[in-house]
Amino acid sequence: MSLLIGVPREVFPNEKRVATVPEVVEKLIKLGFSVAVESGAGDAANFSDETYRAAGAEIITGAAQLWAKSDIVFKVRGPSQEEVGLMREGGTLISFIWPAQNPELMQQLAAKKATVLAIDSLPRTLSRAQKMDALTSQAGVAGYRAVIEAANAFGRFFNGQITAAGKVPPAKVFIAGAGVAGLAAIGTAAGLGAIVRANDTRAEVADQVVSLGGEFVKVDYEEEGSGGGGYAKVMSEGFQHAQREMYARQAKEVDIIITTALIPGKPAPKLITAEMVKSMKAGSVIVDMAAEQGGNCELTEPGQAVVKHGVTIVGYTDLVSRLAKQSSTLYSNNLLRLTEELCKTKDGVIDVNMEDDAIRGLTVIKEGNITWPPPPPKPSAAPPAAAKPAAAAPAAKKGHGHGGSGEPMAGNKLAIMFGVAAALFWFVGANAPTAFLAHFTVFVLACFVGYMVVWNVTPALHTPLMSVTNAISSIIAIGALIQIAPPLAEGMAAPNEWIRWLAVGGIVLTAVNMFGGFAVTQRMLSMFRK
């Protein structure tokens, strides 16, 4: 019997997102599930009840009836205490939970003997988990929206302009933290024409910042800031002091600061002090994306935009919800991919496989038993350790014919191989006609040159190399066609039958190579077309 997926209306203040959109409802039904949506659940994200009904979902009026009827509940925000009370015993919940910050909620859900998959607990280091990574998809939306909010509060253009009415300098934007949200903000601000600078404790993101059109500002202190799971870690006091000095310099120079720094399970680090805010130019803007976790700026007021010391400080906690249609679509796709992993049989029944690293990381409660935190991920199979080089054998005395070490053996094999090749070439030269020898010499040289050219090309360039070989293939095709064609003048001998068929085979193989090369070239060019 297939299970029913219920999608309730979000009750968290200012939350406009919905856990599933009509497009995804159709795909869930194809997996064998039934889908029920609470009436009005998608209104704030511009998804009407009619569109859900047209996609095949059942529309249920009232949260109590929906929660009681649903085997699986899809949500965006974690359930309220009232919603936990409405949940059926032994049901399944898939949502943002944040188990480290919500121990009471975990206990309440465990008391319901529920199975809870926290989408925020997905092991982000697993490459196959990227399609389910809702943190990344929502952070990208938030980074984009942060720049839009900054532009709305800023009193000038982002891009520089020279007009008859005067010159407008480009805005200078500094982004603290170059994670997913920070990179999205960098790309958006650079696209609007601003001069973008960014900093992150993880040195490896510097190239990503530059590739998006930003300038990476380095802290004058050597310390690696990569933490587990792709997050940043808490830095030493020495690094933090050097970082504050760098932020103070940037605050005096830039027009807009966007902060994104978060550390899982900890309050947001304070990066922008009140003194830095005072040093900023009048009319500047700070967008604090960490406002919900306390904020990166000392003067941030969560949920509000305030003006202090002439600087607008935007502390909205609903940046993602301000693009509700887009963020809901991305989030519902993440849940769809997770559901596909849970229901590989496509029969409308889920299997929470605790042997699967991704599913195990997501599952914070299994049938009433709290399973969070998960055990450390299994280490990948380590490559076999290289054998230690044996102690070099003492060199054999000159004149002694002992070959105990590997090097002399390798040299002997090479000498034997060259000797056999030389004898073979001598035999061919002694018995073959003169005309054949000229062609054979060219053939051997071509093989050698071809080997040295192609085999020394890095594998990353093998695909473009295929398109280049079309020129060589056309020469082969012309030569084969001449062999197949009848004699062009009287007295010319027709080619032997075996030569003719060999030429036919050459044309077939060359044609495959040529058409394949053109197809590869076309696909490569289409990748770079906008």
Side-chain angles (χ1 to χ4, degrees):
M1 182 178 178
S2 65
L3 301 179
L4 174 67
I5 296 175
V7 183
R9 189 175 195 166
E10 297 294 325
V11 298
F12 191 86
N14 298 324
E15 183 56 72
K16 300 177 182 178
R17 288 173 291 176
V18 62
T20 297
V21 301
E23 179 185 352
V24 171
V25 167
E26 297 177 352
K27 297 175 182 178
L28 291 172
I29 292 173
K30 289 180 180 178
L31 288 175
F33 296 96
S34 301
V35 181
V37 180
E38 183 182 350
S39 179
D43 287 350
N46 295 317
F47 297 110
S48 65
D49 290 348
E50 288 70 23
T51 57
Y52 282 109
R53 191 176 285 110
E58 176 188 0
I59 304 299
I60 295 179
T61 302
Q65 185 180 354
L66 180 105
W67 279 90
K69 193 175 182 180
S70 301
D71 301 297
I72 306 168
V73 175
F74 283 1
K75 271 185 61 61
V76 179
R77 296 273 186 169
S80 64
Q81 187 172 351
E82 181 182 352
E83 288 177 317
V84 174
L86 296 175
M87 186 176 183
R88 66 188 295 180
E89 189 164 321
T92 300
L93 172 66
I94 303 177
S95 172
F96 281 100
I97 298 294
W98 304 107
Q101 291 93 325
N102 297 294
E104 293 183 5
L105 175 60
M106 293 283 286
Q107 293 297 333
Q108 293 169 6
L109 291 168
K112 281 282 187 177
K113 301 188 184 304
T115 295
V116 181
L117 280 73
I119 199 71
D120 49 86
S121 297
L122 179 75
R124 302 174 79 184
T125 53
L126 298 176
S127 58
R128 57 178 285 266
Q130 292 178 1
K131 61 185 178 182
M132 303 178 278
D133 190 356
L135 282 174
T136 294
S137 68
Q138 302 304 286
V141 175
Y144 172 87
R145 184 68 192 196
V147 176
I148 301 303
E149 294 294 340
N152 181 57
F154 189 51
R156 298 204 319 262
F157 300 131
F158 265 42
N159 63 322
Q161 295 185 17
I162 299 178
T163 68
K167 179 181 178 181
V168 180
K172 295 180 180 178
V173 180
F174 177 72
I175 297 170
V180 176
L183 292 173
I186 292 167
T188 305
L192 290 174
I195 297 173
V196 184
R197 304 168 185 170
N199 167 261
D200 197 278
T201 58
R202 296 160 292 187
E204 65 267 19
V205 304
D207 291 339
Q208 300 175 40
V209 171
V210 174
S211 69
L212 289 170
E215 173 192 350
F216 187 78
V217 182
K218 195 174 183 298
V219 177
D220 190 17
Y221 193 97
E222 293 299 328
E223 183 177 351
E224 177 52 44
S226 295
Y231 296 95
K233 69 175 184 180
V234 179
M235 306 300 288
S236 68
E237 183 56 39
F239 181 92
Q240 293 181 34
H241 178 73
Q243 187 183 53
R244 283 192 293 269
E245 290 182 346
M246 183 270 289
Y247 284 158
R249 292 193 299 270
Q250 293 299 321
K252 295 176 182 178
E253 297 178 13
V254 302
D255 304 298
I256 296 168
I257 296 177
I258 298 175
T259 64
T260 71
L262 283 173
I263 298 173
K266 297 181 180 295
K270 298 299 180 185
L271 305 178
I272 308 299
T273 64
E275 288 73 20
M276 295 180 195
V277 176
K278 291 178 183 178
S279 70
M280 295 181 72
K281 293 174 283 189
S284 298
V285 178
I286 296 174
V287 180
D288 193 340
M289 295 183 63
E292 193 168 354
Q293 282 75 41
N296 297 136
C297 177
E298 288 184 348
L299 303 181
T300 296
E301 295 185 14
Q304 301 182 44
V306 296
V307 179
K308 296 185 178 181
H309 306 295
V311 177
T312 302
I313 304 173
V314 179
Y316 296 147
T317 57
D318 61 343
L319 287 173
V320 182
S321 279
R322 289 171 180 256
L323 286 170
K325 190 179 182 72
Q326 181 66 76
S327 54
S328 296
T329 301
L330 295 175
Y331 181 67
S332 61
N333 279 325
N334 293 139
L335 295 192
L336 170 65
R337 301 308 172 198
L338 172 57
T339 308
E340 289 174 344
E341 291 293 319
L342 294 171
C343 181
K344 294 183 178 179
T345 54
K346 298 184 180 181
D347 57 356
V349 178
I350 64 171
D351 175 25
V352 182
N353 180 12
M354 300 296 272
E355 298 299 320
D356 186 310
D357 287 342
I359 302 303
R360 175 63 187 88
L362 284 167
T363 307
V364 295
I365 301 176
K366 177 71 180 295
E367 298 174 355
N369 298 312
I370 296 179
T371 59
W372 186 89
K378 300 174 184 177
S380 57
K388 294 183 179 179
K397 293 183 179 180
K398 190 174 182 179
H400 289 211
H402 302 295
S405 68
E407 288 301 322
M409 288 299 293
N412 291 340
K413 289 181 179 179
L414 189 62
I416 293 172
M417 184 178 67
F418 272 105
V420 171
L424 179 63
F425 285 133
W426 174 84
F427 179 79
V428 172
N431 297 280
T434 305
F436 175 82
L437 283 178
H439 293 298
F440 183 69
T441 303
V442 172
F443 174 75
V444 171
L445 291 175
C447 290
F448 177 75
V449 172
Y451 175 84
M452 296 302 295
V453 169
V454 176
W455 259 257
N456 283 331
V457 173
T458 177
L461 297 178
H462 282 176
T463 299
L465 185 67
M466 287 179 60
S467 60
V468 177
T469 57
N470 282 340
I472 301 175
S473 299
S474 62
I475 297 174
I476 298 173
I478 292 173
L481 287 172
I482 292 175
Q483 295 299 324
I484 292 177
L488 300 179
E490 293 184 5
M492 291 182 61
N496 294 334
E497 199 63 24
W498 68 272
I499 295 179
R500 190 189 301 274
W501 284 109
L502 186 62
V504 170
I507 291 176
V508 172
L509 294 176
T510 304
V512 171
N513 189 49
M514 290 175 65
F515 283 106
F518 282 120
V520 169
T521 303
Q522 179 63 27
R523 292 187 64 180
M524 289 173 56
L525 293 175
S526 64
M527 291 170 60
F528 297 97
R529 290 197 184 108
K530 292 186 178 180

